[in-house]
Amino acid sequence: MIRCLVLILSLLMLVFTIPAYASKHRAIAQHQDIALIKNAIENFLYNNTATLSGQVIVNVGQIDRHLALPQCPHLEPFVPTGGRLWGKTSIGVRCDSQVATWTIYVQTEIIVMTNVLHIARPVTVGQTITYEDIAPQNVNLAQMPEGIFTDVAQVIGKVATTNLIAGQPLRPQMLRAPYVVIRGQTVNLVVQGRGFSIRSEGQALADAAEGQVVQVRNKSGRIMNGFARTNSIVEIQP
């Protein structure tokens, strides 16, 4: 008799314990997996930096594993207003569904390792840049000033606008295009129109690179504006 009572009590306890145990684990399973949030951020960043030159390395910061976020059917990473996909930044992840609505922000570092052009030897103002004057260095682009050069074709043949020291990364304000028209030079004025072409001579009143607007004085003393071209030509628009 006693054995029967013990057996009945054991069965009753088992009946009440199993649902409680299952309910507890369902609740745990309904919490968002932190690893999935990290994976979503990594995939988002790698996809959106695929066009950057060089090797991209993404380091996602620590996410609090005690966050009890409701499970989300679709995680949506995004760049917050004013943010950037560059260097140390903050990336948002939101869930906006019928079963859950939440947003968190995660600190992230985006490293872009690429070859940046540096000055290999001292260059004086007015000197034309040659291959011997530059040397590529593999650096983290996110730690470089904006506008640095990574393409040799962008700097060869350009002229230094200031004295450059060996080891400096090259930036646009350090270089200019070579002048094709020099101040005081006699230039050929060309007026091109539909069905006609007029040529005369004039004097350049300023230095100008290819395509820049330059003032010239023609033989009669009239000052005109034109586009500087190679071979001492200034193109006047009719």
Side-chain angles (χ1 to χ4, degrees), residues 137-151:
Q137 293 184 24
N138 195 252
V139 298
N140 182 4
L141 203 59
Q143 296 178 348
M144 291 285 101
E146 292 186 8
I148 46 81
F149 291 107
T150 59
D151 185 358

Side-chain angles (χ1 to χ4, degrees), residues 167-227:
Q168 281 184 288
L170 275 170
R171 303 174 66 183
Q173 57 267 39
M174 297 176 177
L175 305 174
R176 63 167 175 80
Y179 293 142
V180 295
V181 169
I182 305 299
R183 180 187 179 92
Q185 175 187 0
T186 298
V187 295
N188 296 311
L189 305 180
V190 178
V191 182
Q192 294 277 12
R194 178 175 293 183
F196 71 91
S197 176
I198 301 174
R199 292 176 176 267
S200 63
E201 287 188 346
Q203 185 181 45
L205 301 181
D207 301 326
E210 170 73 27
Q212 288 185 332
V213 176
V214 61
Q215 285 192 326
V216 294
R217 180 183 289 111
N218 64 13
K219 289 184 176 181
S220 63
R222 180 185 175 190
I223 295 177
M224 311 170 70
N225 291 326
F227 295 98

Side-chain angles (χ1 to χ4, degrees), residues 37-160:
I37 296 177
K38 181 178 179 180
N39 290 341
I41 293 174
E42 288 179 342
N43 291 335
F44 171 77
L45 293 178
Y46 279 120
N47 288 337
N48 284 274
T49 56
T51 58
L52 294 178
S53 60
Q55 179 189 12
V56 177
I57 304 170
V58 171
N59 293 323
V60 179
Q62 189 69 30
I63 304 175
D64 188 358
R65 294 191 172 275
H66 296 94
L67 284 176
L69 297 171
Q71 194 173 39
C72 183
H74 177 66
L75 297 171
E76 185 183 350
F78 65 95
V79 181
T81 302
R84 60 178 188 173
L85 294 173
W86 198 266
K88 293 183 178 179
T89 188
S90 178
I91 299 297
V93 180
R94 60 180 159 233
C95 179
D96 187 9
S97 68
Q98 294 180 348
V99 296
T101 301
W102 49 261
T103 301
I104 64 170
Y105 297 89
V106 182
Q107 291 301 309
T108 305
E109 183 179 16
I110 304 168
I111 299 171
V112 183
M113 300 300 297
T114 191
N115 286 331
V116 171
L117 301 182
H118 288 65
I119 292 295
R121 60 187 182 182
V123 173
T124 57
V125 60
Q127 182 177 331
T128 300
I129 302 296
T130 66
Y131 285 98
E132 289 74 21
D133 298 318
I134 58 175
Q137 293 184 24
N138 195 252
V139 298
N140 182 4
L141 203 59
Q143 296 178 348
M144 291 285 101
E146 292 186 8
I148 46 81
F149 291 107
T150 59
D151 185 358
V152 174
Q154 295 176 304
V155 302
I156 298 299
K158 295 290 181 67
V159 178

Side-chain angles (χ1 to χ4, degrees), residues 4-19:
C4 291
L5 288 173
V6 171
L7 182 59
I8 293 171
L9 288 173
S10 298
L11 290 172
L12 288 173
M13 290 179 64
L14 185 61
V15 169
F16 285 105
T17 301
I18 290 177

